[in-house]
Amino acid sequence: MEIKRKAFYDYGKYGGGVNSTLKKQLDNALEYALETGSFHKMNIIKKADAVCVFGLGVYFEEAFCIQNVKERFRVSLLCDNNTKRLKEVEKKLGKNSNLKCITPDQLPEYGNVAVILMLGDTRSAVQQLSQIIDPVNCIAYNDLVLDEIMNGKQERNWFKSEFENIRKGFSLIDSQKSQQIYVNVLCNRIAPHLSAQSYEEMCVLPQYFYEHEGYRLNHDEVLIDCGAYTGDTLEIFLRHQKTKNFSRIYAFEMDKDNYHTLDRWIREQEISERIVAYNAGVWNKNEICSYGKMSSSDSFSIFNPRDTITAKTVRLDDVLMDKKVTLLKMDIEGAEKEALEGAENIIKTQTPKLAICVYHRIEDLWTIPIMLKEWVPEYSISIRHHAKWWVSETVCYAWKNTQ
């Protein structure tokens, strides 16, 4: 769908150079998403004549019933390329399930059908189904869950009101490479047919420590790992720094079970005396909060109201008020903006390098760069994507060129 813009937007008013091709691509994507509601996957589900789950393998077995997918997304159809598997599922469900098993070629019979892809790697399915239905109606399950839980704002008026900030965020990014990634990450999310690059083409590794533009790690970093999970990021950091080339690590993990695994991992390391772990989430308040499981059994978010338990949250400005900080990483399931607010003093006074996830809530892609630039105008901002198959793992990097 080609949409004509009603007015020209002055991208140059925030400074920096702007590529006209990228500008046109971004404007077309915004107008398309406004017209169709595709900025929020639940809008696609709500306006569909029917909703189908495609992919009846292990992912389906693990998640469909346990996570109440049928009721949450009004699923009435199940689909798979494997006809034998279709018959097995049909027999298992029985005649009273109100779920119909169909083959891909039957999808057009159901009108404007939305297809939820319950697959680890959705690329081949998207390519196949895009020949049968509108590509925008092919939705990765993880992407859908992100929007359902994290992004409460589904109204077109809200999205239209964000156009100024989306364009401002784009204009504040320093390099054309990062502007390109910013635009194509957003296109893949809201207007896939307008994207010039797939997630796979944009993917680079290692996440958080990928050295690019002016973002470089030093041998004496003091790392704050927010969302330390069970130590996976710390392992990558230690490999990158050749194990011993860092000063100190402060690791924060909110979930009790993940924290205990993290603590055991730390005690097994020869440099354990330089790592301090906290069983706490990071937020803009010191309080007890509730959080629930996401689509995987070991991923949690403050914004998920289902199956909740409680945990302590802290402000980094309070916990680390007298500590040196040179590198701050956050991957905390949509709580990044609030957690940054709780670290505002550290960021303004110490200007550490930052690696902040900006994919959980769609607006984080632009609100977080804008906020960081307002706090520290000297920051350079870049965007990189670190996953091959889906929306997850887009990171905003910030640094001062003297670092």
Side-chain angles (χ1 to χ4, degrees):
M1 180 184 295
E2 183 70 20
I3 307 237
K4 293 183 179 179
R5 296 183 301 281
K6 296 178 181 178
F8 176 75
Y9 178 81
D10 180 13
Y11 283 86
K13 65 183 178 180
Y14 297 107
V18 178
N19 180 286
S20 60
T21 301
L22 289 175
K23 177 181 66 177
K24 181 179 179 181
Q25 182 186 358
L26 178 57
D27 283 351
N28 284 339
L30 294 181
E31 295 295 347
Y32 175 87
L34 180 65
E35 178 75 17
T36 63
S38 60
F39 59 90
H40 198 296
K41 300 296 186 290
M42 287 302 297
N43 288 332
I44 299 171
I45 295 293
K46 287 177 179 178
K47 74 177 185 179
D49 298 325
V51 180
C52 176
V53 163
F54 181 88
L56 306 182
V58 175
Y59 200 168
F60 172 83
E61 289 284 353
E62 291 178 349
F64 187 78
C65 292
I66 294 175
Q67 296 179 17
N68 204 26
V69 174
K70 176 186 173 184
E71 288 73 18
R72 282 164 64 191
F73 306 117
R74 60 182 190 89
V75 175
S76 61
L77 304 170
L78 301 178
C79 185
D80 199 282
N81 286 321
N82 187 329
T83 54
K84 181 180 178 181
R85 176 59 179 157
L86 278 173
K87 291 177 181 178
E88 289 175 354
V89 170
E90 190 172 39
K91 183 178 179 180
K92 184 176 180 180
L93 291 172
K95 296 181 179 179
N96 298 321
S97 69
N98 296 319
L99 289 167
K100 187 171 183 179
C101 292
I102 64 172
T103 56
D105 60 289
Q106 293 176 286
L107 285 168
E109 298 174 15
Y110 296 89
N112 179 37
V113 60
V115 178
I116 301 171
L117 306 173
M118 299 199 77
L119 304 163
D121 181 354
T122 63
R123 291 172 295 176
S124 62
V126 169
Q127 186 175 17
Q128 173 193 355
L129 297 177
S130 294
Q131 307 301 313
I132 305 171
I133 64 171
D134 187 338
V136 173
N137 284 11
C138 298
I139 308 170
Y141 179 63
N142 281 354
D143 295 2
L144 177 60
V145 170
L146 271 184
D147 274 0
E148 181 212 15
I149 293 174
M150 303 289 184
N151 300 309
K153 299 166 184 174
Q154 302 174 22
E155 302 82 10
R156 285 174 170 80
N157 286 341
W158 168 80
F159 186 65
K160 186 175 182 179
S161 73
E162 290 295 307
F163 279 18
E164 172 84 11
N165 284 331
I166 295 170
R167 289 155 169 159
K168 180 178 180 180
F170 170 81
S171 299
L172 292 176
I173 294 169
D174 289 82
S175 74
Q176 184 170 312
K177 173 73 172 178
S178 283
Q179 288 181 339
Q180 186 179 47
I181 294 170
Y182 178 98
V183 170
N184 283 294
V185 161
L186 188 58
C187 281
N188 273 287
R189 190 160 188 165
I190 68 174
H193 64 294
L194 294 177
S195 178
Q197 289 182 296
S198 67
Y199 289 128
E200 183 176 22
E201 289 170 323
M202 290 185 283
C203 179
V204 292
L205 296 172
Q207 187 169 346
Y208 313 120
F209 313 118
Y210 179 75
E211 297 190 348
H212 62 283
E213 300 179 27
Y215 182 83
R216 298 285 185 275
L217 271 59
N218 300 318
H219 68 279
D220 58 350
E221 297 289 358
V222 179
L223 168 65
I224 314 304
D225 184 0
C226 301
Y229 184 46
T230 58
D232 58 336
T233 300
L234 296 184
E235 284 192 74
I236 297 170
F237 175 73
L238 293 179
R239 283 201 304 271
H240 187 276
Q241 299 298 95
K242 297 180 172 53
T243 303
K244 297 183 179 181
N245 293 327
F246 72 99
S247 180
R248 203 157 188 82
I249 295 172
Y250 299 96
F252 293 81
E253 173 53 44
M254 181 170 65
D255 181 67
K256 180 178 65 175
D257 293 336
N258 288 344
Y259 170 78
H260 288 321
T261 304
L262 170 67
D263 185 58
R264 286 195 300 272
W265 179 86
I266 291 171
R267 285 188 271 111
E268 293 170 356
Q269 308 307 307
E270 60 176 310
I271 37 74
S272 60
E273 74 282 354
R274 283 191 272 165
I275 307 176
V276 180
Y278 298 85
N279 185 194
V282 287
W283 191 240
N284 55 9
K285 297 177 184 177
N286 299 314
E287 62 182 7
I288 302 298
C289 72
S290 63
Y291 65 97
K293 290 184 178 181
M294 294 291 286
S295 57
S296 59
S297 60
D298 51 6
S299 180
F300 306 89
S301 175
I302 284 174
F303 296 98
N304 188 4
R306 290 189 290 271
D307 302 322
T308 58
I309 51 180
T310 59
K312 179 173 72 172
T313 62
V314 297
R315 298 175 71 252
L316 291 178
D317 279 343
D318 295 333
V319 177
L320 304 175
M321 65 173 67
D322 58 346
K323 303 293 193 298
K324 180 181 179 181
V325 178
T326 68
L327 177 59
L328 174 58
K329 165 259 174 179
M330 288 185 178
D331 185 356
I332 45 178
E333 305 302 323
E336 287 83 2
K337 183 175 182 291
E338 288 80 4
L340 287 167
E341 292 169 352
E344 181 177 354
N345 185 62
I346 288 173
I347 292 169
K348 286 182 174 179
T349 59
Q350 299 197 51
T351 61
K353 292 182 285 288
L354 305 176
I356 312 299
C357 284
V358 289
Y359 66 89
H360 297 99
R361 294 190 290 185
I362 188 171
E363 66 266 29
D364 285 349
L365 181 65
W366 55 89
T367 58
I368 285 177
I370 290 171
M371 183 173 71
L372 295 177
K373 272 292 218 182
E374 288 175 350
W375 288 354
V376 184
E378 300 82 10
Y379 265 150
S380 292
I381 303 289
S382 71
I383 303 292
R384 289 295 184 271
H385 187 75
H386 303 287
K388 291 183 177 181
W389 303 333
W390 48 58
V391 66
S392 299
E393 317 310 338
T394 302
V395 176
C396 172
Y397 295 90
W399 68 92
K400 285 180 67 175
N401 285 320
T402 56
Q403 293 175 321

